[in-house]
Amino acid sequence: MLQQDLAFVKNVKMEDIRWQRLISSYGRAAAFPQWFHAMAHGDMEAMSNAAERLAEELEHQSTLWHATPFGVIFAMRMLGEAAGDSVRRELSAQDRERLNALLVAILETCQPIAVACAETLGHVVDMEPLPSITDLLHESELWPEDEEEDEVRWEDDPVSDQAFYSYVYYTAQILLLYKEDIRRLCDSSCTEVRAAAGELLEVVESIEVGG
């Protein structure tokens, strides 16, 4: 991964992304910030509902979307922070239960995304991604502010093959960047976390991507 892309992944803020102008499985990604907030700060039900919505919007039938690499950035950051918190001994039983549920939700959300990356990058040849992940946020790649013509735009198939490939390529790079956080969770004291981490790690380690 380019140094500028690495810096972007590590430092970009939620408000820096124009989510409303990124497409996801069933429309636009405008609600992503509130779902991530619910995962981080909501009760168990709110967290579960938000994780389910994100999973549906980030990947559908092995297809990744414009919002996917950026959503995975914040999902993996949350995973890394939660993994660090999970080893704190002073956590209450309730807090530990919620933390483990969050970890499992993120790991399970990323599982089909990782599978899509491994399958696509394993089969597509003679395709180059856009030079930088930040190119995906250029005005030329974003959907217009006005959503009235979205249905027509979908019918016109406005996304290039290179853009779709870039969604997969950069999502894969982000997953690989956080591979050690996933590996660390394979030693979790929670059976469900260990299982989910092991399954995701196996797929992530099968991803072959250059750059």
Side-chain angles (χ1 to χ4, degrees):
M1 181 178 281
L2 297 174
Q3 284 300 313
Q4 68 187 53
D5 286 343
L6 180 61
F8 175 86
V9 170
K10 293 292 187 179
N11 298 309
V12 66
K13 297 179 174 61
M14 186 76 68
E15 59 268 25
D16 294 335
I17 307 297
R18 290 184 279 182
W19 298 100
Q20 186 266 341
R21 299 187 64 186
L22 305 183
I23 56 170
S24 54
S25 300
Y26 297 101
R28 299 206 187 200
F32 275 39
Q34 70 187 55
W35 292 337
F36 276 113
H37 185 271
M39 287 184 68
H41 304 290
D43 59 22
M44 290 283 280
E45 182 178 4
M47 179 189 69
S48 177
N49 289 340
E52 183 176 346
R53 293 300 306 275
L54 279 167
E56 292 171 349
E57 294 291 345
L58 289 169
E59 179 273 342
H60 179 65
Q61 296 181 350
S62 297
T63 299
L64 307 186
W65 307 93
H66 202 163
T68 306
F70 304 104
V72 170
I73 287 173
F74 293 100
M76 296 311 292
R77 277 196 205 165
M78 191 178 295
L79 182 86
E81 292 170 4
D85 289 342
S86 68
V87 300
R88 290 167 46 198
R89 294 184 177 180
E90 67 271 20
L91 284 177
S92 68
Q94 183 178 7
D95 287 343
R96 189 169 299 281
E97 179 185 8
R98 189 196 183 283
L99 192 63
N100 286 334
L102 175 63
L103 288 167
V104 171
I106 297 172
L107 292 164
E108 290 183 346
T109 293
C110 290
Q111 175 75 14
I113 294 172
V115 170
C117 289
E119 291 178 347
T120 300
L121 296 174
H123 291 91
V124 175
V125 295
D126 299 327
M127 179 74 71
E128 291 290 330
L130 293 169
S132 169
I133 189 173
T134 58
D135 291 332
L136 291 171
L137 298 176
H138 287 176
E139 185 65 29
S140 60
E141 297 295 329
L142 298 173
W143 278 43
E145 296 277 0
D146 188 353
E147 300 182 27
E148 281 191 18
E149 301 298 323
D150 278 8
E151 188 172 342
V152 175
R153 284 179 61 83
W154 277 112
E155 292 175 356
D156 291 342
D157 192 20
V159 182
S160 69
D161 289 343
Q162 185 183 37
F164 262 123
Y165 182 75
S166 298
Y167 304 160
V168 176
Y169 176 88
Y170 287 110
T171 298
Q173 291 276 23
I174 295 158
L175 290 170
L176 288 166
L177 183 62
Y178 286 90
K179 183 171 65 173
E180 291 310 310
D181 285 317
I182 301 169
R183 190 190 308 279
R184 185 153 45 115
L185 290 170
C186 292
D187 295 325
S188 170
S189 60
C190 175
T191 302
E192 291 82 3
V193 172
R194 282 202 311 274
E199 290 176 8
L200 179 57
L201 181 64
E202 182 178 4
V203 180
V204 170
E205 289 186 328
S206 75
I207 295 173
E208 296 183 4
V209 57

